[in-house]
Amino acid sequence: MISSLSFINQKGEILIYRVYKDDISRSEITQFCAKMIATKENKESPIINIDQTSFIHISIKDIIILATTKTDVNVAMVLEFLYQLSKICKSYFQGILDENCIKKSFVLIYEILDEVLDYGIPQIADPNLLQKFIQEGGMQQEATISIDKFRSLTGTITGAVSWRPPGLHYDKNELYLDIIESVNLLISAKDTVLRAEVVGSIELKSKLTGMPECQIGMNDKLLMGKQARMTKQNGGIVIDDMKFHPCVGLPKFEKDRTITFIPPDGHFQLMSYRISENINIPFKVNVFYSEISENKLEIRLKIKSIYDKNVYGTNIAVKVPVPKNTVNVVSATGLGKAKHEIEEQSVIWRIKKLQGDVETSLRCEISLGATNRDQTWSKPPLKMEFQIPMFTSSGFRVRFLKVMEKGAYKTNKWIRYLTRGGDYLHRL
Amino acid sequence: MAYFGNNPQRGELQELYADLNDLNFEKKKEAVKKVIAYMTVGKDVSDLFQSVIKCLEFNDIEMKKLIYLYIVNYSRQKPDDAIMVIQNFRKDVRKSENPLVRALAIRTFGCLRVPKLNEYLIEPLKDCIQDDDPYVRKTAVLCVPKVYEVSPEICPPLLEILQKLLEKESNALVLANLIQSMREIEVVSGKQIINLNQKIIQKLLLAVDECIEWGQIFILDYLATYNPQDSKQAEVIIERTLPRLSHINPTVTFCAVKVILKYLDFLDNGELVKNLCKKVAPSLISLLSWNQPEVQYTILRNISLILQKFPILFENDVKVFFCSFNEPYYIKYEKLDIMVRICDSKNFAQVLNELLIYLNEADPHFVRKTIKSIGKIAITYDKALDKAVSILVEFAKNIQSPTEPVQELLIQMQLIYKKSKQMYKHEDSLKVIYSIIDYANESESKSACAWIVGEFGEFIPKSVEKMKEYIDNFQMEDRLVQLQLLTSAVQLYLKYPSQCSALIQQLIVSAKDSFNPDVRDRTYIYWRLLSTDPEIVKNLVCFNSGTFSNFSKDLRLWETQDLVLALENMGSISNLFHKLPHQLYKNIKIKVNNQQEVKIYKGEEKPETQVKEQQDENQQNIQKEQQQDIDLLNFDDPPVNNNKNNNSNKTDLFELI
């Protein structure tokens, strides 16, 4: 399996280095750092093989986490493990993983590395669980914690419900649900939809007492088709694929498509889903580029929000690409503001709030400089970013969320929906 | 605390030494941390070994961990000092009531990797494998391969215990680690250690539901190497694996896909196979839009394998592989590659329209690869030829400098003309291509241009002048270009004997003394032939072939008989590089595929598998022949049915010389 793990900065310096197997030498890593990372060649492929040694790495901002191996390991597993490791580190450092916090807390990281891999084989990689027995500044002295606590801890780690410790208590039992959808859209220059896809997720924050068993139900067509009492007009939507947090009982889902789970404590992603049928595209966009004169270009853009009138889109940003040699932009907008941003090579039109079923437009006059005139400008696609609360592009809805626990307490539940622009592109 | 300080000077080491031996606990602890910091940056602090291990007396778990880390790092350098720690380990393993401490001790003990210490390890390890606490058990189980690697001779009793544990263990996590641990030993020893039976398989399948994600991966990975006894068993295993397709960890999903695809071969029920394919496909597609590009990349690299054995999975899904503007290029390259593979006589228009967009990208490598892909599609699918050439010609019209894509364009146009000479008429393609011929600056593209000038001399204005230009620079060219120039010049000479005779003279003079034997030999052959019988030369270099129907390229990446083995290893490093494990790793034994016939899963409308396979095989052979021709003499790909004719030419030729 994995022979060694290292944390490396952008200059190729090793910040953390932990060996799990004897078949790798530090000099191989330093060579790799000098050759590949310092020269940025590592950007060309995440897996590099040199003399039967495989270097597998991911980049988290400026930090590179590198695993090496000499055996024929499952690459996807190693990569996924590295990502989990980065998540673990972030959970200890308030969401940040940079050179400073690595240097400051290297003792802690070594402790983590000791626990997440054994002989290079992935072990516990659940941040919540690790925090139970690895803490910054060391655990409380052993004497003050009873041995029973440790026993119950190892029981949790190795048990079937490793994500939730027993004995939790809340005075107020609460559940927060966030349904977040990302719309990935690709529209050709001729206005045909090449690809429309929604990747969504349900994020849950649970503050529940005991060992509650929850069940969640959506307007999933396959499930609702089974329940005869549903009327036709309410037939549900086709969900291409769903992926669940380990806490969801998968065999049960496979059998009758019901989703039951014992939630971890706190915040987690319950599931992600993908839908490619009947996507409601939230905006209609029309763009016209016209050359007024040799060094003048006019762009006219119209967008129309095609969601319900009582829904509002927020933080809308339309990135309209302009040529490199743009000197000046004069723009007029119906709503919001447009600004030429040189680093982005585009005019960015921002609208704070846009009601449903509203049409608005942008007109830009672009003055071009004299350089590079002979090179034809290949337009990158127009990109849109936005957030639409209380709206789902796929029509996805949570129908119910039941909490069953011995205590039979009352649970307060809150639910929010949000759709945002993912890879939302119009080719020009 | 100094982390990235300078070298530990002698004075600093002494200071550390003093601190380590200080009576103040906090001071000691800080000193230990400093030692580890030095170790991290690669400084040698092994001299402090004795002082560091003395700090073990304190019952502080954080410090214990650090000291263990230190010991593991330096135990091999200081084996004699390391013996002193053994008592500590044994005490921890035997006496500590804290399972975490027991596990920590046995884990570190295993990492010492000093042969002579291992004998002290056997007894405590045995105890730990049979410990009451599953956490200790799973740690102990993983300790066995560590010992095996260093001292295999003392391990047989341990292996027996492992096999026994495999039969009676009930904790899912321990079981998963046990399987992985035994597989590690199998890799090191090259022997089969795991003995499966019906009951154990049942247990493993149950454990998949209960253990953490990594454990699920270990078990699924292992099951993928197992061959079920019959259709019934395959069905059971698939059934138990199916739920894993919905796991959030992409590797778990991917391993489940692997297991299911592998076991499909063993199913008798065709209807079931079809249903399963329908379930697997969307799951795989979700992985392709996974938001970690590195993971996406590994999946994409494996898709070519899946595509070859299971074309049915992506039948109508070419869109899934369309590149997104902001993706890293390593992903775009893979997608491009897959799009060409997935392209067929039905969806080629869709694919070509998409590739057309990529020609606008900024990265020249990517544009080059796009052009190559368009060329490949044109050559493979007759119906796509017109559209592909239109796209390429349109691209050529806008070319203004000798960029990388231009080189590829010229190379691909040559191949297209070779496939169908008539294409030169299509949208005046020849005229457009000829206008950019001066932008060729790589040997392969130059040779393509030389070929075009020779082949289409009569349609090109001033072709003789162009050839003269080439021949003036003959000495500076690469071997590849020189060889092509010889053939093309002769071709042109046959078309315009009077205008070219001086040219041929000049060429022969500059080529006959070439240092390169190939160039020299070819010069002499042409020279002799031209001076004896120009007609024979005509047969050699000019073919009015029309369209070659056998030009089709073989897009398969894997040998058909390797598919089954490759599938077992899906996701591994070797597979990522499109190789079988033993091809990449010398120490892995060649595994023989016992399945006689390799099943290919296609959609319904397509023709019988077997026939298609044979055709492929034939095409491959033909292609090989063609390639030989090109390599040896560059006879401009004689059509295969002319082979006999060709051979007789060759005999004549030898007699003449």
Side-chain angles (χ1 to χ4, degrees), chain A residues 67-127:
Chain A
T68 60
T69 175
K70 295 224 170 184
T71 48
D72 205 6
V73 298
N74 187 327
V75 189
M77 182 188 80
V78 175
L79 284 167
E80 187 55 31
F81 170 78
L82 293 180
Y83 270 106
Q84 297 255 17
L85 180 60
S86 75
K87 268 186 217 155
I88 293 169
C89 293
K90 280 182 183 167
S91 80
Y92 277 96
F93 306 137
Q94 285 79 45
I96 312 160
L97 179 63
D98 63 14
E99 200 169 331
N100 270 338
C101 54
I102 292 175
K103 281 183 177 175
K104 220 175 78 200
S105 314
F106 72 96
V107 173
L108 175 74
I109 295 183
Y110 275 121
E111 255 190 88
I112 296 172
L113 292 185
D114 205 36
E115 206 59 50
V116 290
L117 282 183
D118 190 359
Y119 196 54
I121 300 167
Q123 299 296 314
I124 310 159
D126 182 339

Side-chain angles (χ1 to χ4, degrees), chain A residues 15 72 83 110 115 241 244 423, chain B residues 3 40 135 246 286 294 324:
Chain A
L15 303 177
D72 205 6
Y83 270 106
Y110 275 121
E115 206 59 50
D241 188 38
F244 297 101
D423 224 1
Chain B
Y3 180 76
T40 300
Y135 183 77
S246 310
S286 291
E294 293 89 353
S324 183

Side-chain angles (χ1 to χ4, degrees), chain A residues 20-39:
Chain A
Y20 294 96
K21 275 177 136 184
D22 238 358
D23 52 7
I24 186 108
S25 67
R26 193 185 169 104
S27 64
E28 276 180 85
I29 314 268
T30 35
Q31 264 177 29
F32 177 82
C33 290
K35 245 171 58 194
M36 308 304 287
I37 292 175
T39 59

Side-chain angles (χ1 to χ4, degrees), chain A residues 76-77 182 305 324:
Chain A
M77 182 188 80
S182 258
S305 51
K324 253 190 203 161

Side-chain angles (χ1 to χ4, degrees), chain B residues 481-492:
Chain B
V481 186
Q482 291 184 338
L483 286 174
Q484 184 58 53
L485 273 176
L486 279 167
T487 311
S488 295
V490 171
Q491 229 176 340
L492 205 61

Side-chain angles (χ1 to χ4, degrees), chain B residues 66-79:
Chain B
L66 288 178
I67 297 170
Y68 281 173
L69 189 66
Y70 177 89
I71 295 172
V72 167
N73 219 4
Y74 291 115
S75 59
R76 296 241 291 206
Q77 279 179 38
K78 307 257 173 185

